Amino acid sequence: MTNDWARARLHVVTGKGGTGKTTVASAIALALASAPAHVLLTEVEGRQGISQTFDVPPLGTDETRIVRLSGGGEVVGLSIDPKAALLEYLQMFYKLGRAGRLLEKFGAIDFATTIAPGVRDVLLIGKIYEANRRRRDGKHKGDAPPVYDGIVLDAPPTGRIGRFLSVNSEVADLARVGPIASQASSITRLLQSDQTVVHVVTLLEEMPVQETLESIDELRDKGLHPGAVIVNMVREPLLDDVALDQAREGRLHKASIRTQLTEAGVSATPELVDGLLEEARDHAERIDLEREQLALLEATGLPIVQLPALPAGVDSGSVRELADLLVPLFLSQRADAEVEA
Amino acid sequence: MTPQSQGSQGTPGRVSSAAPRLDVDALIDDPHTQIVVCCGSGGVGKTTTAAALGLRAAESGRKVVVLTIDPARRLAQSLGLTELDNTPRPVTDIDASAGGSLHAMMLDMKRTFDEVVIAHSEPGKAEQILANPFYQAVSSSFAGTQEYMAMEKLGQLKASAGTPDAPWDLIVVDTPPSRSALDFLDAPNRLGSFLDGRFIRLLTAPAKAGGRAGLKVFGVGVQLVTSTMTKILGGQMLTDVQTFVNALDTMFGGFRERADETYRLLSEDGTAFLVVAAPERDALREASYFVDRLEADGMPLAGLVVNRIGRVSATGVTPARALAAAESLEDGGGPKSASNAAGLLRLHAALVRTAERQRELADRFSRSHPGIPVVQVPALGRDVHDLDGLREIGHALAGS
């Protein structure tokens, strides 16, 4: 498996609702951390999906270590809150003491974080921008190594991702001069550079695949870099291709199936045999549909990783299993980059 | 095969949960039901549920309009919607023998916003607003615009109901895939607190009073706030914001009144909320949150729709038994039909286990929300592409 995002530091993870975006973002963070590396895993919608996935207390506005790997890597979690991000931003750049509190009192903070166009999204991305630039000596420039080797963002769903990531260019249009404008354009530069890749999580179903294809086009149009397509919750076929063909066309031999069932000690009533054949036909149609959808995804030319369905549901152990499956793709880039360097 | 009987297939003897069954037909056939709101997290089949329900109601004699927010292209096509033009279009090809009709529309939030501006401000002023860069950003990418505009459109559809151009007596609404579950309920309040807030008065004051003199009424703090804002935003942006807010000032009042009116409409008896979920942990957790929130707001909750319940067709063998038999067939090294039979048994075991897990999740919801009616809708193999597909879902929704 190869990819062309060797220089990526910021991994944005999107997908249609219900595709398991948070689980996949968590698994990517673990895969990157296994390098070993220090990885920041962030969410921006206040859903506390990360804390639920790793079974740790709800994340606050402080960066909190959630996983430490035996090889020395670690994953730090952060739930970005726009209000806290704005106040922190104002404090950092403007040293607003009393004025900050006054802005809050006058409703300006509420206005900015809930009502003003795009400001909320700018603040959320702004916080990531800040974390990406932060050095181990606490400064945001200089030669000290960065605090984080990689950042994974559990981003808004495919329906909103294009707008979310291009909101800074919209704001730059509104605020043509001034500090907001220059901040917005440096964030846009980061997002459009090869340091940022956007991975799309999907299921092998029509609507999620359709949305995936549309969002890949949209990302490309907006000068952003799609990374991998991650197909989640994949189930292996339980019949071979010949049997699937027969099942689809109703040609599975009923009498011999009945004989085999009886031989295995199962009472082969007509209800059972007919039901099993109907289930087999459904299964064959489902596999056909999945193969069609996979072909559509392959046509994008992006690397595709398939992750299995977790029958027992998601927990911190099963996320590690998924992470192992992501390591080849996500760490091959690192190896390539080191060879180049 | 019916959805109810499926619920107990494959697991004989299992006591089903005590949740009352949601009677969708009784709901849509009741002439008092005038609005049905489908809400739920993204990806659970909300839009499909809304469309299927609308079609079923129309074919049983109701005059229906379905307001969809962001339908998948194929679903839109199945309703005959080929463009996003913000106007209810009649859906032909339905069975109108019971005297019903069906209209469907897709919400275009920018156009809805533009229409509100044009309808509620003087011509010169409307142009000024539409040309303002701040307005253009607000109307297309405003956090929450979709929610405000869905409420606005719902209010419009309700206000025009019963006229020759708008024959509907039932409005079925699909809600936006909000980041926070029920943003559309908060929209009027958020707008209200914004309009009543000191901040908007601060923004509108200088221009109204003709310069800085107007700020005196707020005291010295204001000076600091405006100078801080100028420092942060830059003077040009602040001016744009002020022009925008002033221009909107006259129409905003009416806008809020209508949003309040729509909120009241939603809390009345003629409205029914359907919470839609998929049988997965996260979707049902969100559904719990929705149900609690609707109850806290005193909104009329009709019940929960759990979509995409796994289908089980065969009966008479437990998963454990099926797996054991599959293993013995595989070990026996018999003919091709033996490995096929083993595959069928493994498939059946997996289907039953999935259905059991899904039912357990749905039951867990019912245990923590006793008395909330529930209907389970079986999964279809493919997405809905036409009216027949919607009919099939409507059929399953009604449990018939």
Side-chain angles (χ1 to χ4, degrees), chain B residues 356-388:
Chain B
E356 278 173 354
R357 196 172 56 247
Q358 292 177 337
R359 240 182 349 255
E360 171 50 30
L361 286 166
D363 285 355
R364 205 181 296 164
F365 171 91
S366 293
R367 281 196 297 274
S368 56
H369 299 87
I372 304 257
V374 176
V375 64
Q376 301 191 353
V377 181
L380 290 187
R382 298 219 160 213
D383 283 353
V384 171
H385 298 156
D386 53 21
L387 289 179
D388 280 340

Side-chain angles (χ1 to χ4, degrees), chain B residues 50-267:
Chain B
L53 208 60
L55 176 63
R56 188 168 180 87
E59 295 194 331
S60 72
R62 297 294 302 265
K63 296 186 179 354
V64 185
V65 60
V66 177
L67 169 58
T68 67
I69 306 295
D70 187 18
R73 205 184 317 141
R74 287 207 180 101
L75 178 62
Q77 283 165 356
S78 73
L79 285 169
L81 296 173
T82 47
E83 48 180 338
L84 189 130
D85 68 351
N86 216 29
T87 312
R89 298 286 174 197
V91 179
T92 48
D93 300 341
I94 72 159
D95 173 8
S97 57
S101 64
L102 180 62
H103 284 71
M105 69 165 287
M106 283 189 262
L107 180 76
D108 176 339
M109 66 174 177
K110 169 121 178 72
R111 200 181 291 200
T112 305
F113 212 146
D114 289 355
E115 285 165 6
V116 172
V117 171
I118 292 163
H120 296 277
S121 32
E122 295 146 24
K125 208 164 195 180
E127 272 168 42
Q128 192 192 345
I129 299 175
L130 297 181
N132 182 286
F134 207 76
Y135 169 77
Q136 288 168 356
V138 167
S139 58
S140 50
S141 68
F142 194 179
T145 302
Q146 229 176 19
E147 286 78 17
Y148 288 82
M149 291 308 129
M151 291 285 278
E152 176 70 30
K153 203 38 139 179
L154 173 59
Q156 289 175 11
L157 290 174
K158 181 73 179 115
S160 64
T163 58
D165 286 342
W168 43 83
D169 55 30
L170 175 65
I171 305 170
V172 181
V173 200
D174 163 34
T175 52
S178 299
R179 70 183 87 187
S180 74
L182 291 168
D183 271 358
F184 68 97
L185 285 181
D186 296 325
N189 274 336
R190 214 200 274 169
L191 188 62
S193 68
F194 167 60
L195 291 168
D196 294 333
R198 293 214 275 169
F199 189 65
I200 189 131
R201 285 189 283 148
L202 178 70
L203 285 176
T204 51
K208 259 188 197 157
R212 296 218 163 260
L215 291 174
K216 284 198 179 129
V217 286
F218 296 108
V220 286
V222 171
Q223 199 79 46
L224 186 54
V225 171
T226 38
S227 67
T228 308
M229 300 230 333
T230 310
K231 191 161 102 185
I232 297 168
L233 298 175
Q236 177 60 47
M237 187 169 168
L238 195 58
T239 312
D240 279 348
V241 174
Q242 283 174 339
T243 314
F244 166 66
V245 170
N246 274 303
L248 283 182
D249 198 32
T250 45
M251 55 162 269
F252 246 160
F255 192 21
R256 171 168 46 146
E257 247 166 54
R258 287 193 308 285
D260 281 345
E261 175 64 27
T262 310
Y263 185 86
R264 251 196 315 280
L265 202 64
L266 289 178
S267 57

Side-chain angles (χ1 to χ4, degrees), chain A residues 315-329:
Chain A
D315 59 31
S316 54
S318 53
V319 176
R320 285 179 192 231
E321 287 170 30
L322 298 182
D324 290 342
L325 297 170
L326 292 169
V327 162
L329 180 63

Side-chain angles (χ1 to χ4, degrees), chain A residues 52 90 106 108 111 115 120 160 170 176 180 206-207 210 214 240 243 260 265 279-280 282 292 311, chain B residues 72-74 141-142 179 194 199 232 236 285 311 313-314 321 336 338 340 344 348 357 382-383 385:
Chain A
Q52 280 159 11
L90 293 175
F106 270 88
F111 173 81
I115 298 182
R120 182 192 170 91
R160 299 205 307 117
E170 276 177 37
R176 286 176 289 272
I180 293 254
E206 287 169 276
M207 265 202 269
Q210 201 55 43
E214 284 165 12
D240 62 35
Q260 294 299 333
E279 287 171 359
D282 286 352
E292 280 166 31
Chain B
R73 205 184 317 141
R74 287 207 180 101
S141 68
F142 194 179
R179 70 183 87 187
F194 167 60
F199 189 65
I232 297 168
Q236 177 60 47
R285 190 191 292 129
R311 278 160 40 121
S313 308
R321 185 81 198 80
K336 180 73 177 19
N340 281 352
L344 293 180
H348 177 67
R357 196 172 56 247
R382 298 219 160 213
D383 283 353
H385 298 156

Side-chain angles (χ1 to χ4, degrees), chain A:
Chain A
M1 265 187 291
T2 55
N3 64 61
D4 54 2
W5 67 76
R7 281 168 40 79
R9 288 178 47 78
L10 174 56
H11 296 264
V12 179
V13 183
T14 185
K16 184 173 162 56
T19 55
K21 201 164 56 67
T22 303
T23 307
V24 172
S26 302
I28 291 176
L30 282 172
L32 293 172
S34 70
H38 290 257
V39 178
L40 179 66
L41 172 60
T42 60
E43 65 181 10
V44 290
E45 300 194 303
R47 288 189 301 114
Q48 291 297 339
I50 296 173
S51 71
Q52 280 159 11
T53 303
F54 287 99
D55 202 12
V56 295
L59 296 173
T61 50
D62 289 331
E63 290 159 35
T64 314
R65 188 169 70 209
I66 47 181
V67 177
R68 175 166 218 160
L69 299 177
S70 52
E74 64 175 22
V75 177
V76 171
L78 173 66
S79 174
I80 305 179
D81 169 57
K83 217 164 179 174
L86 177 58
L87 289 170
E88 182 191 307
Y89 170 85
L90 293 175
Q91 193 53 41
M92 191 183 302
F93 288 95
Y94 300 99
K95 312 269 180 288
L96 301 178
R98 193 165 94 84
R101 283 195 301 279
L102 263 177
L103 283 174
E104 168 103 68
K105 204 170 138 202
F106 270 88
I109 303 289
D110 270 341
F111 173 81
T113 53
T114 59
I115 298 182
V119 171
R120 182 192 170 91
D121 291 348
V122 172
L123 289 165
L124 297 171
I125 300 174
K127 177 66 194 169
I128 290 161
Y129 177 75
E130 183 275 324
N132 182 50
R133 279 166 37 106
R134 200 186 313 143
R135 311 269 143 184
R136 286 196 202 151
D137 57 10
K139 295 185 180 144
H140 290 85
K141 48 183 114 179
D143 298 330
V147 172
Y148 295 112
D149 304 310
I151 297 180
V152 180
L153 168 60
D154 179 9
T158 33
R160 299 205 307 117
I161 189 66
R163 203 192 294 160
F164 179 78
L165 293 177
S166 59
V167 74
N168 283 284
S169 26
E170 276 177 37
V171 167
D173 290 343
L174 282 179
R176 286 176 289 272
V177 288
I180 293 254
S182 60
Q183 161 109 4
S185 41
S186 26
I187 292 178
T188 302
R189 270 198 304 280
L190 168 68
L191 296 178
Q192 295 185 345
S193 75
D194 53 6
Q195 285 192 44
T196 304
V197 283
V198 186
H199 308 294
V200 188
V201 184
T202 187
L203 308 178
L204 288 182
E205 290 169 13
E206 287 169 276
M207 265 202 269
V209 167
Q210 201 55 43
E211 281 200 18
T212 298
L213 299 175
E214 284 165 12
S215 74
I216 290 169
D217 286 345
E218 187 190 7
L219 292 167
R220 284 177 169 154
D221 283 351
K222 294 194 166 176
L224 299 155
H225 303 284
V229 173
I230 294 153
V231 180
N232 200 12
M233 304 183 210
V234 175
R235 287 188 175 79
E236 290 301 317
L238 291 162
L239 296 170
D240 62 35
D241 279 0
V242 177
L244 284 173
D245 279 344
Q246 292 173 335
R248 188 185 311 109
E249 291 153 22
R251 288 192 290 108
L252 276 174
H253 199 258
K254 214 179 200 179
S256 45
I257 297 279
R258 194 182 302 124
T259 312
Q260 294 299 333
L261 290 173
T262 312
E263 207 150 289
V266 175
S267 148
T269 61
E271 290 76 24
L272 178 64
V273 177
D274 290 346
L276 289 177
L277 293 177
E278 196 177 326
E279 287 171 359
R281 202 192 54 226
D282 286 352
H283 185 60
E285 283 173 358
R286 164 92 207 158
I287 301 287
D288 287 349
L289 176 88
E290 291 185 355
R291 288 179 180 165
E292 280 166 31
Q293 301 303 314
L294 189 61
L296 291 172
L297 294 173
E298 280 164 350
T300 62
L302 297 174
I304 295 177
V305 195
Q306 300 195 37
L307 299 179
L310 302 170
V314 176
D315 59 31
S316 54
S318 53
V319 176
R320 285 179 192 231
E321 287 170 30
L322 298 182
D324 290 342
L325 297 170
L326 292 169
V327 162
L329 180 63
F330 279 79
L331 295 189
S332 71
Q333 51 152 336
R334 196 166 286 277
D336 294 349
E338 275 157 18
V339 170
E340 274 175 42

